[in-house]
Amino acid sequence: MPRKIERRSWAEPYKMKMVELLKMTTRPQRVKAMREAGYNTFLLNSEDVYIDLLTDSGTNAMSDMQWSAFMTGDESYSGSKSYFKMEKAIKQYYGYKYVVPTHQGRGAENLLSQILIKKGDIVPGNMYFTTTRLHQELAGGTFVDIIIDEAHDPLSEHPFKGNVDLNKLEAVVKKHGAAKIPYVCIATNVNMAGGQPISLDNLKQLRKYTQEHGIKIIHDMTRVAENAYFIQQREPGYANKSVKDIVLEICSLTDGATMSAKKDALVNIGGFLATNDDFVYEEARNLVVVYEGMTTYGGLAGRDMEAIAVGIKESVDDNHQAARVGQVEYLGQRMMEFGVPIVKPIGGHGIFVDAKAFLPHLSQDQFPAQTLASEIYMDSGVRTMERGIVSAGRKPNGEHYYPNLELVRFTIPRRVYTQAHMDVVAESTAMVFDRRKKIKGMKMVYEPKYLRFFQARFEKL
Ligand code: F0G
């Protein structure tokens, strides 16, 4: 009797041509490394890491086409032909009129915040991102969260947890007046909410409302193609549209964008500011030479811009996104089979484990997510990241922000790891879950002033 096949597996739309060998470590080695790193996974040496899920930022595997374009980089100080290739790709795939390159996303956030924000301004957004909010604050603005409540609930299965609550926005406009709001900052596939998308329907409503009030929309388009994939999969009316077309439609509903090309665009470094606005472009051209470099390289090598141009094109391919988001889904499903509490629905760039539910016996002051990330590393050499109270930092008045979400992020680099790696990750997390009651919290013993999660140090209680 021939065996009946109940499901057809999918696999990545690429094969490997080169591999990077990894060091295997023992538990005593990892315990020592973790202690020396102050129980902060950012402070580990990557050599001591087996599977590195710290971030999906700059950790992508480039394609052979990107590497070959890399070799053709024009390293001229000014007017590099590589810049024009990148500009052409940005116009073609994202539709923005003007482009100013920056060394990475936060370089663009700095320029944009300085240009558009005045002291006392209010910047509403669909949840904060660390560097984005800090640049808004440094420019004199105050960030206000206007994401729907479901985004702060790890158990809510809302398909578009990146959506804006228009009532929240309206309350901000009523309280402060539209003149105090230079723009609304809209992230596609909201990182801190767990890689959750915004729907086109919501974005269209937001566009209508903001246009009526003369408020711009600035798009944090770091993971726009992943968001577009979710729209294709989940939003009525989009099943037959390509990721490429959906990306263009999203961008067309906004006035400008900051981009960290280190994510979606499949490169290891780079970013840009894009805008349709003549004034913003003129100002950005003035500022970029102060902070980043000439307007045709903005802190990037010509070869980086070549790789970005090719990466953008590859990122909007439907098959690429199906495998990319599919791998994240696979890891999430395995975690759920083991009963590990994760943010649902499964997001686009990683799995976010709910550390409050994982370690309910720890108070938020005992840094449950930081603790869990260190335990997982010690178990298997898998490096993850805290996205909870440590990442949230302190308010301008010095108090901790106490975010609802206390998460450990397992971020999947694009095109880097196999499904077998994902199995190792899920099994390690399950092992730590089985002995969770024995895990003790931590205290912070060193706290830097800015973006403390990068360098803070901890000790076990
Ligand atoms: N916006 C979002 C949504 C991001 O996720 C990041 C970076 C940035 C802006 C800043 O871009 O790093 O190029 O300066 N996120 C990385 C992460 C660091 O690990 O989530 P950048």
Side-chain angles (χ1 to χ4, degrees):
M1 274 285 281
R3 223 171 95 202
K4 192 159 169 277
I5 294 178
E6 280 167 2
R7 80 180 251 273
R8 296 289 297 268
S9 296
W10 57 271
E12 293 78 1
Y14 52 82
K15 59 183 178 178
M16 285 162 211
K17 198 176 272 210
M18 190 192 275
V19 295
E20 178 179 338
L21 300 183
L22 301 172
K23 182 170 110 183
M24 306 301 282
T25 52
T26 61
R27 181 167 172 102
Q29 287 170 330
R30 294 191 293 271
V31 169
K32 180 167 174 281
M34 196 70 266
R35 196 185 324 116
E36 285 171 5
Y39 296 95
N40 184 344
T41 51
F42 277 101
L43 300 178
L44 287 165
N45 290 340
S46 66
E47 212 196 6
D48 297 328
V49 173
Y50 174 39
I51 301 176
D52 202 350
L53 307 186
L54 186 70
T55 178
D56 63 330
S57 180
T59 51
N60 302 304
M62 294 210 294
S63 68
D64 51 353
M65 298 309 285
Q66 284 178 292
W67 279 111
S68 61
F70 206 70
M71 296 305 294
T72 66
D74 172 5
E75 306 303 343
S76 306
Y77 190 85
S78 182
S80 159
K81 67 173 189 268
S82 305
Y83 166 79
F84 293 107
K85 277 197 210 161
M86 181 178 83
E87 184 194 44
K88 188 169 164 226
I90 292 166
K91 286 184 177 173
Q92 180 179 347
Y93 293 102
Y94 302 144
Y96 295 112
K97 201 165 153 194
Y98 304 117
V99 179
V100 176
T102 57
H103 74 286
Q104 57 186 78
R106 68 198 72 182
E109 292 166 358
N110 173 36
L111 302 183
L112 183 91
S113 301
Q114 288 201 40
I115 294 165
L116 289 179
I117 300 174
K118 294 187 302 298
K119 198 169 162 27
D121 278 353
I122 306 291
V123 188
N126 57 346
M127 207 174 260
Y128 83 101
F129 183 70
T130 52
T131 58
T132 322
R133 184 179 68 195
L134 182 57
H135 279 298
Q136 292 162 357
E137 289 172 352
L138 290 172
T142 302
F143 167 83
V144 180
D145 190 6
I146 54 162
I147 203 163
I148 55 172
D149 286 340
E150 286 88 339
H152 292 281
D153 173 4
L155 294 179
S156 161
E157 302 242 12
H158 194 294
F160 291 102
K161 283 168 115 173
N163 279 358
V164 166
D165 183 335
L166 287 163
N167 293 324
K168 287 188 190 172
L169 176 59
E170 186 161 58
V172 177
V173 173
K174 284 222 170 92
K175 183 166 172 204
H176 301 278
K180 283 261 177 241
I181 303 174
Y183 61 91
V184 176
C185 181
I186 292 304
T188 33
N189 250 29
V190 180
N191 188 352
M192 302 299 270
Q196 303 291 331
I198 180 171
S199 71
L200 265 166
D201 178 55
N202 184 253
L203 188 56
K204 283 177 192 164
Q205 290 180 39
L206 175 72
R207 184 62 161 174
K208 186 165 174 285
Y209 180 86
T210 50
Q211 276 181 335
E212 282 163 14
H213 291 81
I215 300 170
K216 291 188 207 314
I217 299 179
I218 297 296
H219 177 198
D220 180 343
M221 63 179 302
T222 298
R223 296 181 183 83
V224 64
E226 288 166 10
N227 195 125
Y229 178 73
F230 282 124
I231 289 174
Q232 183 192 63
Q233 298 299 309
R234 296 180 187 164
E235 190 160 354
Y238 287 92
N240 295 321
K241 294 227 161 115
S242 63
V243 166
K244 179 166 158 267
D245 288 344
I246 299 171
V247 166
L248 262 179
E249 186 171 350
I250 295 172
C251 295
S252 75
L253 293 165
T254 68
D255 299 288
T258 55
M259 173 61 157
S260 171
K262 302 172 71 172
K263 284 83 166 173
D264 243 14
L266 295 164
V267 291
N268 304 119
I269 194 71
F272 56 82
L273 174 64
T275 178
N276 296 330
D277 188 315
D278 294 300
F279 166 76
V280 172
Y281 180 54
E282 174 64 23
E283 291 294 306
R285 283 164 59 90
N286 275 311
L287 284 179
V288 73
V289 293
V290 181
Y291 293 100
E292 305 282 324
M294 261 294 293
T295 52
T296 53
Y297 78 86
L300 297 175
R303 51 184 174 266
D304 298 326
M305 297 189 283
E306 293 281 344
I308 291 171
V310 179
I312 289 173
K313 177 165 173 256
E314 292 177 359
S315 79
V316 298
D317 178 79
D318 286 21
N319 293 320
H320 163 67
Q321 285 304 339
R324 156 58 174 168
V325 178
Q327 187 177 47
V328 176
E329 171 82 22
Y330 177 81
L331 175 60
Q333 291 296 348
R334 295 241 46 206
M335 295 256 204
M336 289 197 294
E337 283 162 22
F338 290 122
V340 174
I342 65 170
V343 173
K344 287 183 240 171
I346 294 166
H349 67 305
I351 299 305
F352 290 67
V353 171
D354 182 353
K356 279 187 188 168
F358 199 112
L359 299 171
H361 55 291
L362 302 191
S363 72
Q364 205 166 9
D365 289 317
Q366 295 174 337
F367 309 110
Q370 191 77 35
T371 302
L372 181 53
S374 70
E375 290 290 336
I376 289 165
Y377 170 74
M378 290 187 283
D379 183 75
S380 57
V382 171
R383 172 156 72 169
T384 59
M385 179 197 292
E386 193 266 7
R387 288 275 97 148
I389 184 168
V390 185
S391 295
R394 290 183 190 272
K395 298 177 187 169
N397 71 9
E399 290 167 21
H400 287 299
Y401 285 106
Y402 282 91
N404 258 341
L405 298 180
E406 179 72 25
L407 307 175
V408 175
R409 188 179 76 168
F410 294 62
T411 347
I412 320 283
R414 295 167 190 78
R415 308 193 292 205
V416 172
Y417 293 113
T418 64
Q419 220 145 292
H421 287 115
M422 296 302 115
D423 289 336
V424 169
V425 173
E427 288 159 20
S428 167
T429 311
M431 293 291 282
V432 176
F433 191 57
D434 286 347
R435 57 175 179 75
R436 63 192 178 276
K437 294 203 177 89
K438 298 204 187 91
I439 296 172
K440 296 199 173 65
M442 302 200 292
K443 62 175 185 213
M444 199 178 341
V445 293
Y446 167 69
E447 179 175 356
K449 188 165 163 208
Y450 293 121
L451 303 175
R452 63 183 180 180
F453 56 94
F454 284 130
Q455 299 177 83
R457 300 184 72 87
F458 301 82
E459 276 171 14
K460 287 246 157 225
L461 287 175

